[in-house]
Amino acid sequence: ANDMLVAGRGGELLDAIWQAPIYRPDGIVFGEDTFELLIEEDTFSQVQYPFEGLNSKTKGLRLGEIVVFCGGSGIGKSQVCREIAHHLIKNGESIGYIALEENIKRSIRGLVSIELSKPIHLQEVRDSISQEELRKAWEAVSQNAFFYDHWGSVDSENLLNRIRYLARGCGCRWIVLDHLSIVVSGLENIDERRTIDNTMTNLRSLVEELNIGLILVSHLKRPDGNRGHEEGVSTSLSQLRGSHAIAQLSDVCVGIERNIQDNDTSHLVTVRVLKNRFTGDCGISSILT
């Protein structure tokens, strides 16, 4: 300031002091500027689940959210996700289906099985259906489905690139990723917890960037005690395998429970909402058969 006065630039100095703009770094929004956001209509697409109880608690699926389905091995997590994928397709939505624990043949047969209400992965069932009926069912689900031809672990960057292509290149607004644990299971010399942390953080950012809905499957740790999840033990967020980031960064977390050892009740699947950021309503939502 003294140098400016000596140089005869006092007028500029006064202007710099009294006409200085308010400093506001990028990303800071004043509360008084948020009324338009308050009354703005939400632009996300809301699609219902095929399960009435889950819709009641969560108010359906929304773009920009991560929904995690978790449960023990063999409980039925993948089948629930197939049901949701089929439901989305039948409602005109395009989906990207990334099943890292099965090949594409099993994935497309699973979707067609739901369309026909018959388990066509069984040879005797498939032989009882005409080629014309099979093709008609296949055409009903294949047009809006895109698959990633891969099995087993895959590095995080490669996975993110495939999801980005499915969203931008194929027009998929919904991605099914089954499952998170296998993404890192075959990678050597890694810290599993940290790798899952990083993967979840990257998935969270990608969902926001692309404005897609991500349906994610995750395994659970074996609970304390003598009984496991295959015997109907209740699920909880603390049992999520590998990283707390799965629970922290998801918008909705749903536990799938079934006692596959009980002949009388093994056909019953309990759907329990463990986390619900949108409405806060948690607890048992549905009993599926």
Side-chain angles (χ1 to χ4, degrees):
N2 186 61
D3 290 342
M4 292 185 72
L5 291 174
V6 171
R9 299 173 60 188
E12 292 180 51
L13 175 61
L14 291 175
D15 289 343
I17 294 173
W18 297 110
Q19 298 180 25
I22 297 174
Y23 171 69
R24 185 184 301 183
D26 292 342
I28 302 301
V29 178
F30 288 9
E32 61 192 30
D33 297 331
T34 59
F35 184 72
E36 293 300 320
L37 294 175
L38 175 68
I39 63 174
E40 179 183 321
E41 289 291 331
D42 291 325
T43 57
F44 54 69
S45 171
Q46 185 172 358
V47 180
Q48 298 295 294
Y49 288 96
F51 315 120
E52 183 178 348
L54 201 53
N55 287 322
S56 177
K57 284 192 175 296
T58 67
K59 307 307 179 187
L61 287 156
R62 286 165 292 277
L63 297 176
E65 291 191 355
I66 297 178
V67 180
V68 174
F69 286 87
C70 61
S73 181
I75 299 297
K77 303 181 298 300
S78 296
Q79 184 60 29
V80 169
C81 289
R82 286 193 197 100
E83 293 279 356
I84 295 172
H86 176 266
H87 179 74
L88 289 171
I89 291 171
K90 297 298 286 184
N91 280 275
E93 299 286 344
S94 293
I95 66 159
Y97 203 92
I98 303 175
L100 299 176
E101 213 169 31
E102 65 183 25
N103 56 35
I104 293 179
K105 179 194 293 186
R106 181 66 183 89
S107 296
I108 190 61
R109 283 180 175 175
L111 292 174
V112 173
S113 292
I114 296 171
E115 179 69 17
L116 292 170
S117 296
K118 298 177 181 178
I120 68 166
H121 62 283
L122 302 177
Q123 184 68 47
E124 61 271 21
V125 175
R126 198 162 59 254
D127 290 343
S128 68
I129 304 172
S130 68
Q131 285 285 337
E132 181 180 353
E133 188 179 1
L134 272 175
R135 176 169 286 276
K136 184 178 179 181
W138 170 78
E139 289 175 347
V141 299
S142 63
Q143 298 302 311
N144 289 335
F146 299 84
F147 302 91
Y148 178 27
D149 188 8
H150 183 84
W151 191 94
S153 60
V154 56
D155 68 86
S156 178
E157 189 61 33
N158 191 18
L159 175 65
L160 296 173
N161 287 338
R162 296 305 184 274
I163 293 175
R164 185 175 282 107
Y165 176 77
L166 287 168
R168 292 274 172 81
C170 302
C172 297
R173 302 203 304 169
W174 308 93
I175 303 293
V176 176
L177 175 55
D178 183 6
H179 56 85
L180 180 62
S181 302
I182 203 171
V183 172
V184 300
S185 63
L187 302 178
E188 298 181 355
N189 301 319
I190 63 166
D191 182 328
E192 182 182 19
R193 184 195 60 77
R194 181 170 296 180
T195 302
I196 292 180
D197 277 351
N198 293 337
T199 301
M200 277 301 299
T201 300
N202 291 333
L203 286 172
R204 175 80 262 174
S205 298
L206 193 64
V207 165
E208 297 289 344
E209 172 197 335
L210 301 174
N211 192 33
I212 58 174
L214 177 62
I215 299 167
L216 179 64
V217 176
S218 178
H219 280 186
L220 295 176
K221 297 179 291 187
R222 187 169 182 82
D224 296 331
N226 296 324
R227 298 175 64 226
H229 292 107
E230 70 279 1
E231 297 175 280
V233 173
S234 297
T235 55
S236 71
L237 291 178
S238 64
Q239 296 167 351
L240 283 165
R241 178 179 170 184
S243 169
H244 293 300
I246 301 172
Q248 292 167 350
L249 296 178
S250 61
D251 296 278
V252 176
C253 192
V254 180
I256 305 297
E257 303 167 1
R258 181 163 69 105
N259 188 348
I260 62 178
Q261 301 298 322
D262 189 323
N263 292 333
D264 295 329
T265 62
S266 61
H267 65 291
L268 300 177
V269 176
T270 300
V271 180
R272 185 188 302 273
V273 178
L274 303 173
K275 177 184 178 181
N276 186 355
R277 185 171 285 167
F278 190 69
T279 68
D281 191 3
C282 297
I284 294 176
S285 66
S286 309
I287 305 293
L288 310 178
T289 57

